[in-house]
Amino acid sequence: MHSAVSAGSRSGRRMTTETRRLRHAQLVALALLTTLAALLIVVGSAIATPLEPTLSQAQLATMLDASPTGSVPGHFKTVVKGSAIVNVPCEILGIVPQAAEDNGDLIMFTASGPVIEDAGGIASGMSGSPLYVNDGVRERLVGAVSYGEYYTTNGLGLATPIEHMMELESRVAVRNSLDVRTAKTVRLSRSLAVGATTVTTVAVAPTTTDARLVAVRPGKVVMRSLTTLMVGGLGPEAPAFANIKRHLGEMGVEIRGKAAGAAGADPSFSAALVPGSSVGMLFMRGDFWYGGVGTTTYTTADDKLVAFGHPMMFDGSLSAYMTNADVIGLWSSAADPHKVVAPGRVRGTISFDSGAGIAGTIGAAPAEVPFTCTVTETGTGRTVTHTAYVTQFAADQYKSTYSFLNALSFYPAFYQATGDQQYDGHLEYTLTIQVSDGAHDYTVTRRNTWEDGYGFDAAYLAVVEFASMLDVLTSDPDGTIGAHIKSVAMEATLSPQLRRARIADVSVPGGIHVGENLVRVTTYKHGSVVPAVVDVPLTIPEGMSTSGTIYAKAPYTNVESVGDGWYSFWSTDSASTDPPQTLADAVETLNGTPGNNYLVVAYAPPGAINEEWWGFGEPWNEQAVVTSVDLGTYLTGSVSKEPARIELTSTSSRPLAGATFGLRGTIATDTRLSGEVVKFYARETGASRATYLGEATVEYRIYDDADGLGQNEFAFEVVGGMQHSGEITAVWEGNEQYVASSQTLELAVRAKIKLSASVSGRTVRLRAALSPKDAGGKLTFYASTEHGRKQVGKAAVSASGVARCSYVATPGGQRVYAVFGGSAKNARSTSAVRTLVVR
């Protein structure tokens, strides 16, 4: 409701002489402008002079000092029924310094008579009631009733001095944040006798909740503001009302519902707005309304109106409806007496709201935005349409007090169509928001479905989502969005039959790999025990790690039954390195967000996790690969899995073609996998697909008997080996905690060489047969004698896998062998040595 202002940092820099001169000139100009502004404020304040004669606080203090009893008699005007203004006698006791919310002084008094006796004390709704004293010549307006004592029946109250209220227009620039809206305690310079009690200390709190937190002791009274935020069209028995009351209470905003001060609106009720008349300050009117009702303190010759004597929303410059108010009667209570009122006809615009009260102009109504909701319930065939109007100011505010209450205007149509304020059926809606940034018009169209499996209220989920969408449109930290809501309309259909599916499991057959993956999601439809499987293609680009996390989830998995708390579906205030958003960007975000009928599948590589994820929104960041599929049903649940880490080694780093070799490995998991199966696949160079080799059983082997620690191990023998170089992949299909996991081992397979030789005279002929035959490449032949080794020939391998060489040797012994230099298919290898004798 209130904006906190934080000071930005300043970077130090050296000022040149010219810079100093310029700064001096700027300061002189600023001083002149400030002086001129002060003069204008004085002139502006003079215009808002009450039509009735006034008495200043200093004059009142003089009367109190001169009084033999230390008090001055007076009365205030207020309405207790309809529009009839009555006088309530009171006795002014003294001045309480700097006790108001804006540190202004307050006037202490006690009220008496039938009205106070019937109510049980100063009642909420009396705030702003003009307080008068007689100075011996005539009655003079001295202030406005603004605060009442917590848990008292003696009519003790506080009033805001009239000159402080007359300064209202010059003080509206002050905006207080919520952290200053706490109880303020003041010790009186002299004690005051109130009946049989002596008051020495006064505590003033903005709300009843704050007042109850103040420690009470003898001589201390606790006061609170006499106006609270009221909501009409939404009964306090509704879960939505209970939630908004709790949420706003945490913000320091007190709220009343229909049975606690707010009756239904009566737009035809009209009465003169004069001192003592009831006046409303509403931000929304129609079938749903919210705002506050108090009393008119005074009006001016140019139709200005000042009321309340304390802030309503403490929002400075704003725009709200000024309305009449029909007082149904007084609600008597020792703890919390209040008027029961119904807002009436719109009479003008409230434009200021600050510490001393509210002020506005009788006449034209403020600019407004229509909010229309049409709901059809298929079970009964009933259709209800409600329209409410919110001021342009309130529609455009990025403050949850406004955006959430604006969204709640749709709630009455839902429960009136169903007769059920805890509707646990199926809800589908289309929401259209017309919005403009002043230069371009945009349309947000949101289609979504909601259910609440906990039986709380499906309609409330749609309302909360709507509030979050308003937050997205009106949040403008960089000042580049500038959204103005032009109109809002929702068409919704409700059905008592649930149409939902729960996401139960996710797997990736064969493991996560670069390229196209088939993500298999298992769901259970409502009322069925038979699993339904959905295969979703997901492409992982080249170069992306495959040891990340796979997700299958509903878009808003964790917001069911949000009546237990307040959640925002989209985050709009987190730190970001992204460039400033425009309104077009915000609209694109909302229009592109999948509804609850979409199954979202994502793969996030390591490091692509959203560190600010707290269970709402999506847990991955922009590096993730995401796709979604419309399943045509409301989805719940979320499953995510990572692959387990598999270590795989070979007993031979460069096995010979066709030779048996062994594989060993481990699977790192948090669970024991004894009895699980690891499957092995080989894909040789040039092959289009892998070949299944077989499987091995995992065994959990303990290596620390004391702690029972161990690891999941497996072993496998590749009988007959491999013919070509390639890769072997070990695949574990995963379990409830891990997605299918794999590890690939690159193997260089040596070609086998069978060397034969023949000698004819001094000519030596060598023949090398290569296995496999299609190894390709070249062979180099060597001969060693007592004089050393030399290359005797080099030949390409033929299609039949043979290479030949002949050379003329010197007489004597020869040791010959062939070396395969390697190829795309096989690794380098050397034949066995053959011994020859040349004669």
Side-chain angles (χ1 to χ4, degrees), residues 33-231:
L33 289 174
T34 303
T35 303
L36 178 59
L39 292 173
L40 291 175
I41 287 171
V42 171
V43 174
S45 298
I47 296 175
T49 302
L51 295 175
E52 301 170 297
T54 62
L55 187 75
S56 70
Q57 180 180 323
Q59 292 172 321
L60 176 62
T62 299
M63 291 180 64
L64 288 168
D65 291 339
S67 171
T69 62
S71 63
V72 174
H75 69 273
F76 64 81
K77 295 180 180 180
T78 196
V79 175
V80 295
K81 182 72 174 178
S83 60
I85 299 173
V86 299
N87 288 333
V88 177
C90 61
E91 192 78 12
I92 296 174
L93 305 177
I95 308 296
V96 182
Q98 298 183 346
E101 290 193 52
D102 60 353
N103 294 323
D105 297 344
L106 294 173
I107 302 168
M108 180 178 284
F109 66 91
T110 56
S112 59
V115 170
I116 300 301
E117 292 173 2
D118 290 344
I122 303 292
S124 295
M126 290 181 179
S127 57
S129 298
L131 176 64
Y132 300 88
V133 298
N134 193 308
D135 65 352
V137 178
R138 59 185 303 178
E139 284 189 348
R140 295 183 181 273
L141 178 62
V142 69
V145 175
S146 49
Y147 299 90
E149 189 184 4
Y150 169 57
Y151 272 120
T152 183
T153 56
N154 62 14
L156 188 64
L158 295 174
T160 301
I162 193 60
E163 65 263 41
H164 192 29
M165 298 184 71
M166 290 167 62
E167 296 173 359
L168 187 60
E169 294 186 40
S170 65
R171 301 175 63 87
V172 296
V174 179
R175 290 177 180 267
N176 288 38
S177 58
L178 281 175
D179 56 359
V180 305
R181 296 202 71 190
T182 55
K184 184 179 299 183
T185 301
V186 175
R187 186 169 185 83
L188 302 179
S189 58
R190 64 181 180 87
S191 60
L192 294 175
V194 182
T197 302
T198 299
V199 178
T200 60
T201 306
V202 176
V204 178
T207 69
T208 300
T209 301
D210 294 317
R212 288 171 179 164
L213 298 176
V214 179
V216 179
R217 64 175 185 270
K220 181 177 183 179
V221 293
V222 182
M223 317 292 279
R224 62 172 178 80
S225 302
L226 291 176
T227 295
T228 58
L229 184 68
M230 297 183 180
V231 173

Side-chain angles (χ1 to χ4, degrees), residues 435 437 440 442 472-483 579-590:
V435 63
D437 59 8
H440 302 283
Y442 301 91
V472 171
L473 290 171
T474 56
S475 170
D476 197 3
D478 294 310
T480 54
I481 294 178
Q581 269 203 332
T582 64
L583 180 58
D585 296 327
V587 171
E588 182 181 7
T589 296
L590 296 179

Side-chain angles (χ1 to χ4, degrees), residues 352-672:
F352 305 116
D353 177 9
S354 67
I358 65 171
T361 305
I362 301 171
E368 62 185 7
V369 180
F371 281 52
T372 302
C373 184
T374 300
V375 179
T376 299
E377 210 277 336
T378 61
T380 62
R382 178 176 171 79
T383 297
V384 174
T385 298
H386 271 193
T387 299
Y389 297 87
V390 62
T391 67
Q392 188 72 62
F393 167 84
D396 295 345
Q397 288 298 300
Y398 175 57
K399 297 176 181 179
S400 57
T401 306
Y402 295 103
S403 59
F404 195 16
L405 286 170
N406 292 341
L408 277 176
S409 64
F410 285 173
Y411 198 78
F414 282 105
Y415 70 71
Q416 288 183 21
T418 63
D420 184 354
Q421 295 193 40
Q422 298 188 37
Y423 194 81
D424 58 354
H426 186 82
L427 185 158
E428 294 180 0
Y429 77 79
T430 298
L431 175 67
T432 303
I433 304 175
Q434 302 291 341
V435 63
S436 173
D437 59 8
H440 302 283
D441 293 339
Y442 301 91
T443 301
V444 176
T445 303
R446 173 71 170 162
R447 296 179 177 88
N448 204 2
T449 179
W450 284 102
E451 291 183 0
D452 189 343
Y454 296 93
F456 177 75
D457 191 11
Y460 186 59
L461 297 175
V463 166
V464 174
E465 182 183 27
F466 175 30
S468 296
M469 295 176 70
L470 289 176
D471 282 346
V472 171
L473 290 171
T474 56
S475 170
D476 197 3
D478 294 310
T480 54
I481 294 178
H484 295 286
I485 310 298
K486 299 177 68 175
S487 67
V488 182
M490 176 183 282
E491 293 188 3
T493 301
L494 301 175
S495 172
Q497 286 78 36
L498 295 179
R499 298 201 301 275
R500 61 170 44 208
R502 176 174 58 85
I503 299 169
D505 195 17
V506 64
S507 63
V508 183
I512 300 171
H513 56 274
V514 170
E516 186 168 302
N517 292 258
L518 192 66
V519 181
R520 181 156 293 165
V521 182
T522 301
T523 68
Y524 285 94
K525 293 184 178 180
H526 184 72
S528 175
V529 297
V530 180
V533 176
V534 181
D535 287 337
V536 181
L538 184 71
T539 300
I540 297 177
E542 290 286 344
M544 182 174 282
S545 169
T546 57
S547 58
T549 306
I550 195 79
Y551 297 86
K553 69 186 296 292
Y556 306 114
T557 301
N558 298 316
V559 299
E560 270 201 298
S561 193
V562 293
D564 296 334
W566 162 252
Y567 307 114
S568 181
F569 299 163
W570 290 285
S571 175
T572 57
D573 56 1
S574 61
S576 174
T577 58
D578 296 333
Q581 269 203 332
T582 64
L583 180 58
D585 296 327
V587 171
E588 182 181 7
T589 296
L590 296 179
N591 284 337
T593 303
N596 292 326
N597 49 307
Y598 277 82
L599 168 63
V600 180
V601 172
Y603 171 72
I609 304 303
N610 179 7
E611 295 180 357
E612 297 181 355
W613 183 69
W614 294 96
F616 304 98
E618 310 301 2
W620 55 81
N621 65 22
E622 65 276 1
Q623 298 177 28
V625 181
V626 185
T627 188
S628 59
V629 180
D630 184 359
L631 297 189
T633 188
Y634 179 75
L635 290 172
T636 66
S638 176
V639 181
S640 65
K641 292 181 180 180
E642 297 178 1
R645 189 178 73 254
I646 298 178
E647 299 288 344
L648 182 64
T649 59
S650 170
T651 56
S652 175
S653 59
R654 296 173 69 246
L656 197 62
T660 297
F661 62 92
L663 297 169
R664 294 184 179 279
T666 60
I667 307 176
T669 66
D670 294 332
T671 56
R672 300 186 180 190

Side-chain angles (χ1 to χ4, degrees), residues 125 127 226-231 254 256 262 278-284 289-295 308 310 312-313 320-325 341 343 350 358:
S127 57
L226 291 176
T227 295
T228 58
L229 184 68
M230 297 183 180
V231 173
E254 191 170 3
R256 294 185 188 276
S278 289
V279 63
M281 174 183 177
L282 304 187
F283 295 96
M284 180 176 280
W289 62 269
Y290 67 93
V293 176
T295 302
F308 286 19
H310 58 67
M312 177 65 203
M313 306 295 279
Y321 298 105
M322 178 193 296
T323 73
N324 285 124
V341 295
I350 300 293
I358 65 171

Side-chain angles (χ1 to χ4, degrees), residues 722-745:
M722 297 171 63
Q723 291 298 311
H724 303 97
S725 298
E727 58 186 30
I728 288 183
T729 301
V731 178
W732 173 55
E733 291 299 330
N735 58 14
E736 293 181 354
Q737 293 176 277
Y738 296 90
V739 73
S741 310
S742 63
Q743 180 61 47
T744 298
L745 179 66

